[in-house]
Amino acid sequence: VQLVESGGTLVQAGGPLRLSCVASVDIFSVSSMTWYRQTPGKPRQLVASISSAGAITYSDSAKGRFTISRDSAKNILSLQMNNLKTDDTAIYYCNADIMAVGDTGFKYYWGQGTQVTVSS
């Protein structure tokens, strides 16, 4: 299973940005898909998560500004970020709890990350 993030770039504060994560695998079932972010010297922090049932969780900093969504047919996870702040600068990672076709259980997979830089 490979997760590939895209969409990270340099953006001005107050602007929008959309991140995408594509899972390149035949998925039998998804338990959850999550966006994390990490800044140097700090642990990865949950930004937003969506379960297979559609239940959504946001971090306090993401509430009201970010929207997570998932296209099940295309295996794409998205994160729409609006009103970006300089504190949103980080590497954003996609995480998925997936049972791939042919597997016997769920496994966690990570993407390689995409850099988001918000300038003032």
Side-chain angles (χ1 to χ4, degrees):
V1 177
Q2 185 176 15
L3 302 179
V4 180
E5 302 100 334
S6 62
T9 189
L10 173 65
V11 63
Q12 285 192 329
L17 191 64
R18 188 176 183 87
L19 304 182
S20 295
C21 171
V22 179
S24 58
V25 67
D26 289 334
I27 295 176
F28 180 77
S29 182
V30 176
S31 176
S32 64
M33 297 188 77
T34 303
W35 286 101
Y36 287 83
R37 68 186 185 187
Q38 187 173 26
T39 55
K42 295 185 178 180
R44 289 184 188 181
Q45 295 181 325
L46 184 147
V47 176
S49 183
I50 183 167
S51 73
S52 58
I56 292 175
T57 301
Y58 293 105
S59 66
D60 287 342
S61 62
K63 286 178 183 177
R65 299 188 299 126
F66 295 1
T67 302
I68 189 172
S69 61
R70 178 184 160 218
D71 184 332
S72 301
K74 298 180 180 179
N75 291 341
I76 297 175
L77 179 71
S78 299
L79 185 68
Q80 177 66 43
M81 303 187 291
N82 296 324
N83 190 22
L84 282 162
K85 303 176 181 180
T86 55
D87 287 346
D88 296 319
T89 296
I91 299 175
Y92 284 71
Y93 295 91
C94 174
N95 167 272
D97 188 10
I98 291 173
M99 181 186 293
V101 173
D103 281 354
T104 58
F106 285 87
K107 298 178 183 178
Y108 283 102
Y109 298 91
W110 289 93
Q112 82 289 350
T114 186
Q115 175 72 49
V116 173
T117 303
V118 183
S119 65
S120 59

